[in-house]
Amino acid sequence: MTHTTQSNNDLLLTVSDLKKYYPVRRGILARVAAHVKAVDGVSFSLQRGETLGLVGESGCGKTTVGRTILRLLDPTSGEVHFNGTSVFALHGEELRQIRKQMQIIFQDPFGSLNPRMTVGGIVMEGMVAHAMHPKTERPERAQALLERVGLSREHFFRYPHEFSGGQRQRIGIARALAVEPKFIVCDEPVSALDVSIQAQIINLLSDLKQEYGLSYLFIAHDLAVVQHISDRIAVMYLGKIMEEATSEELFRNPLHPYTKALLAAIPKGVPGEKAKRQTLPGDVPSPLNPPAGCPFHPRCPQVMEECRSKPIERVEQSAGHFVACHLFPASAIGSAKPAGAAG
Amino acid sequence: MTTAQTNPLLEVRDLKTYFATDRGVARAVDGVSFSIPPRTTMGLVGESGCGKSVTALSILRLIPSPPGRIAGGSILFEGQDLAALSEEEIRHVRGNQISMIFQEPMTSLNPVFTLGNQIMEAILTHQPVSHAEAREQTIDMLRRVKIPAAETLLDQYPHQISGGMRQRVMIAMALVCRPKLLIADEPTTALDVTIQAQILELLEDLQEEFGMSVLLITHDLGIVADVADQVAVMYAGRIVEMAPTVELFRNPQHPYTTGLFRSRPSLGRKKARLDVIPGTVPNPTHFPEGCRFHPRCAYAVDDCKKTDVTLQNISGEHGSACLLGQRKELQLQPV
């Protein structure tokens, strides 16, 4: 897996072998007894103007990936390059500057807005922090943004508690856009919202992407939503990416048994065709004590002997379709193709 | 609504549950009627605040009073009006003939008692059995909900097991007295999709085994399609559409129902844009006049703002609370 042949002009973000471990301390001396491997060797890349969906069940590490890229969490190891700059090597003013280009929209529209600040204050906070625009112009810009995300100019003077969940998510989007970022991590932006409101927010995010030339890392557990908005999708399980492909390819031709199980588990919404569900046995194991070999092997219907001990490796099975599974060994097909070439 | 030949197990008639709030009376449930025949599953679908959970809590008389009260209607369970029972009498029904499982298995289990204790409590409350027998029944039930090592689990506490396991324990607790009706309020919403599939399958198997009826409350139309025989769609305290599941999915009539279907992205079929229902759900203290959906409805005509529309049969067992479906002269045309 090399990026050497890739022309770097189109690449906005590359993540290489990212790891984030949390120490677990025990005893009176609080010695490190073990590590929770929340993210355990994740690699992917994102092109300009592209949306990469990151899906997985709770606790798989998808949120940690997003936050580590933005340096909201410190990585254990690995590299993240944004626009050719190594994000983990930056400090102080340089880090502040790059953060202006990378924003986040949070899942919880209630917990993520400061209840003591007006909506205007929230949206302008980033402009103030980055000394953007003359002071007198900021309110006008903030109000224009509020209008753009489907709120009205008068909302500038109101407080977050006066708004519904969907409206608050719009405030969060305006806040992220205020500093004119190139890249936004959308961390479960619609999962706390009602179905009819979800569609409104998803359409808004699609429109804004076109309009401002944004790239998204779209983190969610709802495959139907992720498929709708993403160009490519990466499926995570226990800190690792199991499969990555364009969203059409992933749904048409899923390779990893976990991806297949995820797709099969989703209710199809077609009554009268009550085919026996193919349920996956067992629970998601704790990341504190992940299974050896392939982390999915205890639940895998196609488990083989080597899965129990041999670590999995990411292999490019066909152009742009990556899979980490012993059913698809590296030797079977040339894996030297450039990463993300299908985007 | 149902033309079931047998008497319905549960028949809710014109149920009204109101809450007194600082901003006025919230009509959380405002004239809801439906019935559930024995051994069938009714899906109650709607967005947050539509009154679906309050409907369920009203059936079990679990509405906190004050501020809430059942302001009208009847809840006939095997012919007996639950709304008229005394607190003492309803306690014999609750957990015994009608049980409920909740969305959040963590907060609905008591963290300071062992799981065995909590399940046995239900048996010891309702049945004249010894402690040892109750324990036996508990272990038997835990095996039926496919919990491995049931004996060990009895002495564990809720925090020691996973979310999926907790929901299995909740189901065991609800079913241990063999209720005739199980109310499941978003039973899989807090669970991962692979675990959700396990729990839905388990519920279906147990329903068949015990011959019970299920009132399944959910916001997820996909789940309803999978498990419900009949569906009622709620909006702003009322049922706006009700039909057998296959009929509702093939031939949805109410603009709110069709809006819900269209606004969901569907797997494998990629659309450029999602259709949206504009606006937001109205506040239950200030519902719009006339049809409560009219401010968000693309088909609304002048009459919709004035006429208080009710659920009426449009064909067979299919009811819709929409003037457009009820009056043939009005064409379904977006304005």
Side-chain angles (χ1 to χ4, degrees):
Chain A
M1 221 221 62
T2 54
H3 296 294
T4 43
T5 51
Q6 180 73 36
S7 73
N8 283 340
N9 290 339
D10 291 338
L11 274 185
L12 183 68
L13 182 82
T14 51
V15 176
S16 329
D17 203 24
L18 183 68
K19 291 181 181 166
K20 175 65 185 170
Y21 295 174
Y22 291 95
V24 179
R25 296 176 189 280
R26 291 223 180 93
I28 317 174
L29 301 174
R31 264 193 259 259
V32 176
H35 284 97
V36 172
K37 298 180 176 179
V39 177
D40 196 14
V42 159
S43 304
F44 60 83
S45 57
L46 186 71
Q47 312 220 3
R48 268 172 233 286
E50 190 182 39
T51 298
L52 176 70
L54 195 57
V55 289
E57 301 185 277
S58 49
C60 73
K62 55 193 192 298
T63 291
T64 310
V65 168
R67 297 196 178 176
T68 312
I69 290 171
L70 300 180
R71 294 247 339 236
L72 296 173
L73 295 169
D74 282 323
T76 303
S77 69
E79 288 278 342
V80 171
H81 288 268
F82 181 81
N83 250 341
T85 314
S86 171
V87 176
F88 296 161
L90 299 178
H91 298 283
E93 185 54 29
E94 286 174 332
L95 180 59
R96 249 171 52 80
Q97 284 307 319
I98 207 155
R99 275 189 171 149
K100 181 170 163 290
Q101 301 176 47
M102 311 198 298
Q103 288 291 308
I104 183 165
I105 299 164
F106 294 98
Q107 168 173 11
D108 178 6
F110 295 86
S112 56
L113 300 175
N114 186 340
R116 291 167 188 270
M117 284 173 85
T118 61
V119 168
I122 290 168
V123 175
M124 290 191 303
E125 196 179 19
M127 300 183 197
V128 175
H130 289 288
M132 294 172 73
H133 316 301
K135 202 172 173 183
T136 45
E137 277 180 26
R138 287 174 196 154
E140 166 55 30
R141 285 181 181 268
Q143 290 183 358
L145 266 176
L146 288 175
E147 216 165 32
R148 178 59 199 91
V149 299
L151 297 166
S152 67
R153 285 173 176 260
E154 297 81 69
H155 290 149
F156 182 86
F157 302 101
R158 309 250 291 260
Y159 286 88
H161 75 262
E162 299 172 62
F163 295 89
S164 67
Q167 288 175 316
R168 284 182 212 215
Q169 210 53 301
R170 292 177 194 269
I171 297 169
I173 293 170
R175 181 199 58 74
L177 289 176
V179 294
E180 295 162 20
K182 295 195 169 68
F183 168 63
I184 300 180
V185 173
C186 307
D187 189 0
E188 300 265 15
V190 298
S191 49
L193 306 176
D194 274 321
V195 181
S196 71
I197 310 299
Q198 277 192 0
Q200 297 175 2
I201 299 295
I202 291 168
N203 281 349
L204 176 64
L205 286 172
S206 306
D207 294 346
L208 293 172
K209 183 185 151 188
Q210 291 294 325
E211 221 172 298
Y212 294 91
L214 299 167
S215 305
Y216 292 144
L217 178 64
F218 194 94
I219 300 168
H221 68 279
D222 186 331
L223 267 167
V225 168
V226 170
Q227 177 222 226
H228 176 80
I229 201 159
S230 304
D231 302 304
R232 278 187 302 132
I233 298 177
V235 180
M236 272 189 88
Y237 188 79
L238 274 185
K240 292 184 192 295
I241 291 180
M242 308 304 256
E243 186 162 4
E244 184 195 324
T246 64
S247 57
E248 289 81 10
E249 168 79 3
L250 194 85
F251 286 90
R252 213 178 36 223
N253 183 27
L255 295 177
H256 201 289
Y258 177 61
T259 313
K260 289 181 185 170
L262 263 187
L263 290 171
I266 299 165
K268 297 293 170 286
V270 183
E273 288 176 22
K274 211 183 272 180
K276 192 75 177 163
R277 266 177 228 101
Q278 291 186 331
T279 53
L280 207 56
D283 266 333
V284 182
S286 159
L288 178 58
N289 193 9
C294 171
F296 185 59
H297 86 254
R299 302 176 75 192
C300 184
Q302 289 169 268
V303 64
M304 304 178 296
E305 202 41 53
E306 56 184 321
C307 303
R308 298 178 212 277
S309 53
K310 198 171 147 198
I312 45 170
E313 254 179 89
R314 186 173 119 121
V315 173
E316 188 165 14
Q317 190 62 26
S318 57
H321 194 154
F322 299 87
V323 61
C325 174
H326 291 311
L327 290 169
F328 304 94
S331 53
I333 207 161
S335 61
K337 283 178 195 136
Chain B
M1 282 297 306
T2 51
T3 54
Q5 299 306 305
T6 47
N7 288 327
L9 179 72
L10 180 81
E11 192 176 356
V12 174
R13 282 190 200 149
D14 202 25
L15 177 68
K16 290 177 177 161
T17 307
Y18 294 169
F19 291 84
T21 73
D22 295 343
R23 296 182 181 185
V25 176
R27 292 173 287 169
V29 174
D30 199 19
V32 159
S33 304
F34 62 90
S35 62
I36 308 180
R39 296 168 177 269
T40 60
T41 298
M42 166 82 136
L44 197 54
V45 195
E47 300 182 282
S48 45
C50 72
K52 55 194 195 298
S53 288
V54 174
T55 302
L57 292 173
S58 302
I59 293 169
L60 279 173
R61 295 266 306 276
L62 288 172
I63 297 296
S65 170
R69 71 195 160 92
I70 295 180
S74 56
I75 304 160
L76 298 172
F77 178 72
E78 298 193 306
Q80 186 182 34
D81 187 3
L82 300 182
L85 294 186
S86 71
E87 188 54 37
E88 179 64 28
E89 288 165 324
I90 189 78
R91 225 175 285 148
H92 288 295
V93 178
R94 224 185 262 153
N96 193 19
Q97 296 173 57
I98 307 179
S99 295
M100 183 155 177
I101 50 177
F102 298 90
Q103 173 173 354
E104 217 341 292
M106 189 63 223
T107 47
S108 9
L109 289 167
N110 191 329
V112 301
F113 289 102
T114 62
L115 296 165
N117 235 314
Q118 298 185 56
I119 303 171
M120 273 151 54
E121 186 189 359
I123 308 175
L124 293 169
T125 307
H126 294 296
Q127 292 175 14
V129 295
S130 72
H131 199 269
E133 282 173 88
R135 196 181 160 87
E136 277 309 303
Q137 286 186 30
T138 302
I139 292 173
D140 176 60
M141 199 63 214
L142 289 175
R143 290 210 180 106
R144 280 173 200 264
V145 298
K146 305 209 176 71
I147 288 180
E151 289 88 344
T152 356
L153 189 110
L154 287 185
D155 301 316
Q156 288 189 308
Y157 290 87
H159 73 269
Q160 293 175 296
I161 59 175
S162 70
M165 278 297 156
R166 277 184 215 127
Q167 200 56 289
R168 283 172 196 268
V169 170
M170 285 295 299
I171 292 170
M173 194 187 298
L175 299 189
V176 78
C177 288
R178 309 290 164 103
K180 291 176 181 142
L181 176 65
L182 175 70
I183 301 175
D185 189 359
E186 303 268 9
T188 59
T189 305
L191 304 175
D192 285 320
V193 60
T194 57
I195 309 298
Q196 165 174 294
Q198 293 173 2
I199 296 292
L200 290 177
E201 179 142 314
L202 176 70
L203 276 175
E204 270 185 310
D205 290 350
L206 291 171
Q207 173 174 24
E208 196 147 306
E209 190 179 335
F210 295 167
M212 61 183 177
S213 297
V214 176
L215 176 61
L216 176 77
I217 295 165
T218 179
H219 68 280
D220 189 332
L221 284 162
I223 292 177
V224 164
D226 241 23
V227 301
D229 302 301
Q230 273 210 93
V231 189
V233 180
M234 276 189 86
Y235 184 80
R238 290 186 174 162
I239 292 176
V240 294
E241 183 158 12
M242 183 152 63
T245 310
V246 176
E247 164 73 10
L248 187 98
F249 277 74
R250 279 204 193 128
N251 187 23
Q253 287 295 314
H254 198 284
Y256 178 61
T257 315
T258 52
L260 278 184
F261 279 126
R262 287 193 196 136
S263 61
R264 270 294 297 161
S266 59
L267 274 180
R269 263 178 295 146
K270 202 156 178 168
K271 291 190 275 190
R273 283 181 76 76
L274 296 173
D275 295 313
V276 301
I277 304 175
T280 48
V281 176
N283 190 311
T285 54
H286 294 93
F287 283 135
E289 289 290 305
C291 169
R292 290 173 182 178
F293 185 61
H294 87 257
R296 304 177 73 189
C297 183
Y299 305 96
V301 294
D302 271 350
D303 260 7
C304 301
K305 296 171 190 163
K306 294 171 254 162
T307 316
D308 200 8
V309 60
T310 53
L311 193 69
Q312 279 178 29
N313 264 11
I314 44 175
S315 70
E317 296 175 55
H318 193 155
S320 169
C322 178
L323 289 181
L324 297 164
Q326 292 169 9
R327 295 188 194 164
K328 297 295 177 218
E329 74 272 17
L330 291 172
Q331 289 292 307
L332 275 173
Q333 289 250 310
V335 280

